[in-house]
Amino acid sequence: MSKRCNYLTIEVKPNLMGIVNAEQIQQELTKQGQLGWELVNAISLVSAPPFTTSVLIFKKEA
């Protein structure tokens, strides 16, 4: 029998200079980890150069 999982995506937006702050990502990782979510992937999306948005994808067993 396969396990059922819930998935969560969180978008970490860039600052006014178009840069995603590593501290913002760390805070989000810590927050979601404490809530029982496991990071399974992180994607960087370039919306309009030089603006890059990071998307964090988490999962946890249902």
Side-chain angles (χ1 to χ4, degrees):
M1 184 170 174
S2 62
K3 296 179 186 178
R4 290 186 174 247
C5 294
N6 291 321
Y7 292 88
L8 171 69
T9 58
I10 296 181
E11 184 177 347
V12 181
K13 298 188 179 197
N15 61 21
L16 295 175
M17 302 277 295
I19 300 168
V20 174
N21 186 336
E23 188 174 308
Q24 286 177 281
I25 294 173
Q26 184 61 53
Q27 288 173 353
E28 201 59 55
L29 291 170
T30 300
K31 176 182 171 185
Q32 298 308 322
Q34 290 173 343
L35 294 172
W37 291 95
E38 175 186 355
L39 180 71
V40 293
N41 205 350
I43 304 168
S44 292
L45 304 173
V46 178
S47 54
F51 296 96
T52 302
T53 299
S54 291
V55 178
L56 307 176
I57 303 168
F58 297 88
K59 79 172 185 177
K60 119 171 129 169
E61 285 188 37

